[in-house]
Amino acid sequence: MTDTPTLAPPTSPPRRAPRPNVQPVLEQLAALHPALFGAVFLPLKRGIFQDLQDTHPGVFEREALKAALALHTRSTRYLTSVASGQQRHDLQGQPVEALAAEHVHHALLEVFRRRQARSQEDLRPKLRKRMLQAFEASGMSREAYVELVRSRDEAANALLDEALAESSERAARSEALLRAFEASGQTVEAFADMYGLQPQEAARTLAQARRGRPQAATGA
C-alpha cells in the first residue's frame, strides 16, 4: 500500500500591522493648535513630535501621531509653506528657527513636480524665479548654496544654474548702479530721476547692492 503524500498547507504571507487611522489625530491637532495645523499650515520646528507628546500626555497614541505628522508634512499645503521660506514655528505658533536652504529648495522642487503633473502650462519659468528668490533670501555665497542644494535631477540643476546666472547679472547691474550713484554726489531722488527710476525702487536696489558687497568679496 502506497502512502498518499500529505501536502503542507500553504504558508500565508505575514500580516502587516494595520495602519493607524490618522484622520482623528489630524483633527485633534487642528483643534489644539489651529495656528499650525488649521486652515493655514506653517513650517514646524524640529522636535515637534516630542513637544506634542510632552504638552499633551496621554492624548495621542505614539504611532498614530507619528503617522499623522508624516502625512501632514508630506502634504502639498505643508510643502508649499516650507517652499515659501517662512521660519519654523513652535506649538504656540511663534517663529523659532530658520529653515535650512536645502529644505526650502527641495520643497520647491516637489511642489513644482506635483503642480506640473496637473497642469498643461510650462511651470519652469515660475520655478526658476522662485529658485532665484530662495537663493537671494538665503544670504549664502553661490558656491555654498550649490553645494547644499544640487541634486541628481539634472533638469532641476539646469534651472538652478539659470537662476544663479540671473542673480549674478542682477547683482552686477546693481553694483554698477551703486558705483554710479556714489560717483554722482546726488541724492537718491535726484539720481533716480536721472535714470528714470522710482525713488523707492532706486533706494531698494542701492541697498541690495550694498548688502551684496561683503558677500561678493568673500564668496569669490
Side-chain angles (χ1 to χ4, degrees):
M1 182 175 178
T2 305
D3 292 335
T4 303
T6 303
L7 297 177
T11 57
S12 300
R15 291 184 179 180
R16 293 182 179 179
R19 292 183 178 180
N21 182 9
V22 301
Q23 192 57 42
V25 179
L26 292 172
E27 291 173 356
Q28 281 181 292
L29 289 172
L32 291 168
H33 300 284
L36 292 182
F37 302 97
V40 177
F41 291 174
L42 291 173
L44 303 173
K45 74 178 283 287
R46 289 173 290 185
I48 204 76
F49 171 80
Q50 192 59 51
D51 290 351
L52 285 164
Q53 291 282 82
D54 295 342
T55 304
H56 306 288
V59 172
F60 299 107
E61 193 277 323
R62 188 178 182 86
E63 293 307 314
L65 179 58
K66 279 185 179 180
L69 287 175
L71 183 65
H72 176 80
T73 54
R74 287 197 299 265
S75 71
T76 301
R77 285 173 63 195
Y78 181 80
L79 290 172
T80 299
S81 76
V82 174
S84 72
Q86 299 180 70
Q87 287 188 299
R88 293 185 180 274
H89 292 68
D90 62 16
L91 289 182
Q92 288 69 49
Q94 297 301 312
V96 292
E97 58 183 325
L99 281 161
E102 62 269 30
H103 294 167
V104 176
H105 181 79
H106 295 313
L108 274 172
L109 293 183
E110 183 57 30
V111 170
F112 162 76
R113 291 187 187 106
R114 295 181 186 186
R115 290 181 175 168
Q116 188 64 79
R118 301 192 304 268
S119 176
Q120 295 182 346
E121 178 189 358
D122 183 0
L123 300 179
R124 287 176 297 178
K126 293 180 180 178
L127 174 60
R128 183 172 60 246
K129 181 179 179 180
R130 294 293 304 279
M131 284 179 167
L132 186 153
Q133 292 170 343
F135 163 63
E136 293 185 341
S138 75
M140 301 175 68
S141 70
R142 174 174 177 150
E143 292 76 10
Y145 190 81
V146 167
E147 185 176 352
L148 278 178
V149 308
R150 189 173 292 278
S151 67
R152 297 180 181 179
D153 186 336
E154 291 307 319
N157 291 340
L159 282 176
L160 175 63
D161 289 340
E162 291 176 15
L164 294 175
E166 182 178 347
S167 178
S168 296
E169 291 171 5
R170 285 171 49 167
R173 290 195 297 269
S174 296
E175 174 63 20
L177 194 70
L178 177 58
R179 290 180 180 177
F181 169 70
E182 292 173 340
S184 72
Q186 300 286 333
T187 65
V188 172
E189 290 75 13
F191 181 79
D193 186 62
M194 288 171 54
Y195 279 80
L197 301 171
Q198 292 295 325
Q200 290 182 341
E201 178 188 358
R204 183 169 58 251
T205 301
L206 295 171
Q208 289 173 344
R210 290 190 185 98
R211 288 195 299 270
R213 277 180 166 174
Q215 178 178 324
T218 59

